[in-house]
Amino acid sequence: MIWDFIDSRKKNKIIITSILSCMLVFLIMFSSQYDAEISFSKESGYYNDAFELKIVGGGSGNSIYYTLDGSEPGLDDYRYDTEESILIADATMNDNVYSIRTDTTVAFLNDLMETYSWENPKYTVPDYYVDKYNIVRASVFDKSGNCLDSITGVYFIGFQDKSGYDGIYTACIVTDPDNLFGYENGIYVTGSHLTAI
């Protein structure tokens, strides 16, 4: 074999060069993945006043997309422009979307609630704006459309002026609205897989 005819010094140079090349490729791959990380300019939480939110990071050559409805961002959603920001304000005056639905399992099970509930708390569609908060989800994609990083932020604006929130702890679980209200998979609607209780 040719390898047998190469002297030991040249063999060492080839081995060292191969190892360094592999390390360089690994470092480039690792650093490009690290550069793609994104974050928000403000942490999730309660804020007294509206503010401008920025998405930081993403790496060069990548694109950031975001949503404001809790859904996972994709390439068809809002594309983030680093020269602009996202206004985060009190969302309460936005239209009621989920609280006005009448196809939820609560509505479907009214007969059972009348039978088994002590106070029979029938659900009625609110005729007022319910308190709401802001959900911002962002993802960074490379040129091939691969998602490199995703983040979620939840912002409560102006809740210091609302009643019923003093001294409470808040835990937020965010999921795509289709997981809650989708006809095929939603857990809060009667949907396509109706089962008897």
Side-chain angles (χ1 to χ4, degrees):
M1 297 204 120
I2 297 174
W3 185 254
D4 293 331
F5 296 106
I6 300 174
D7 70 32
S8 63
R9 281 184 282 171
K10 286 189 178 183
K11 284 181 185 178
N12 289 341
K13 281 185 181 181
I14 292 171
I15 292 171
I16 291 172
T17 303
S18 298
I19 291 172
L20 290 174
S21 298
C22 289
M23 288 176 64
L24 182 62
V25 168
F26 175 77
L27 286 172
I28 290 170
M29 289 174 55
F30 179 77
S31 66
S32 65
Q33 180 68 28
Y34 179 76
D35 288 344
E37 288 184 1
I38 51 177
S39 61
F40 291 127
S41 59
K42 289 193 178 272
E43 293 183 11
S44 294
Y46 285 83
Y47 292 87
N48 292 343
D49 301 309
F51 61 86
E52 300 285 334
L53 182 71
K54 293 249 185 208
I55 303 173
V56 181
S60 61
N62 299 323
S63 300
I64 299 172
Y65 291 83
Y66 69 96
T67 61
L68 301 172
D69 65 354
S71 61
E72 293 182 28
L75 299 174
D76 294 328
D77 291 307
Y78 300 115
R79 184 172 179 166
Y80 181 70
D81 182 350
T82 56
E83 300 299 316
E84 298 178 6
S85 54
I86 304 165
L87 176 63
I88 303 298
D90 186 350
T92 296
M93 297 309 288
N94 295 346
D95 289 339
N96 293 339
V97 175
Y98 303 112
S99 61
I100 62 172
R101 294 183 68 130
T102 57
D103 62 341
T104 61
T105 50
V106 171
F108 175 70
L109 299 174
N110 262 340
D111 291 341
L112 289 176
M113 289 177 70
E114 288 176 12
T115 304
Y116 296 109
S117 176
W118 178 57
E119 294 181 358
N120 185 19
K122 284 188 177 178
Y123 181 75
T124 56
V125 173
D127 57 358
Y128 55 90
Y129 290 108
V130 298
D131 292 338
K132 301 175 192 75
Y133 53 90
N134 300 272
I135 301 171
V136 184
R137 300 184 79 178
S139 295
V140 58
F141 296 88
D142 65 15
K143 291 178 182 176
S144 300
N146 300 308
C147 182
L148 304 176
D149 192 27
S150 294
I151 54 172
T152 299
V154 180
Y155 303 96
F156 297 80
I157 309 299
F159 274 68
Q160 75 278 4
D161 299 327
K162 302 177 191 293
S163 62
Y165 296 97
D166 290 336
I168 65 166
Y169 293 94
T170 306
C172 295
I173 300 173
V174 177
T175 188
D176 194 295
D178 194 53
N179 294 329
L180 304 177
F181 299 100
Y183 185 69
E184 293 297 325
N185 301 315
I187 63 173
Y188 287 154
V189 294
T190 53
S192 63
H193 304 291
L194 184 62
T195 57
I197 295 181

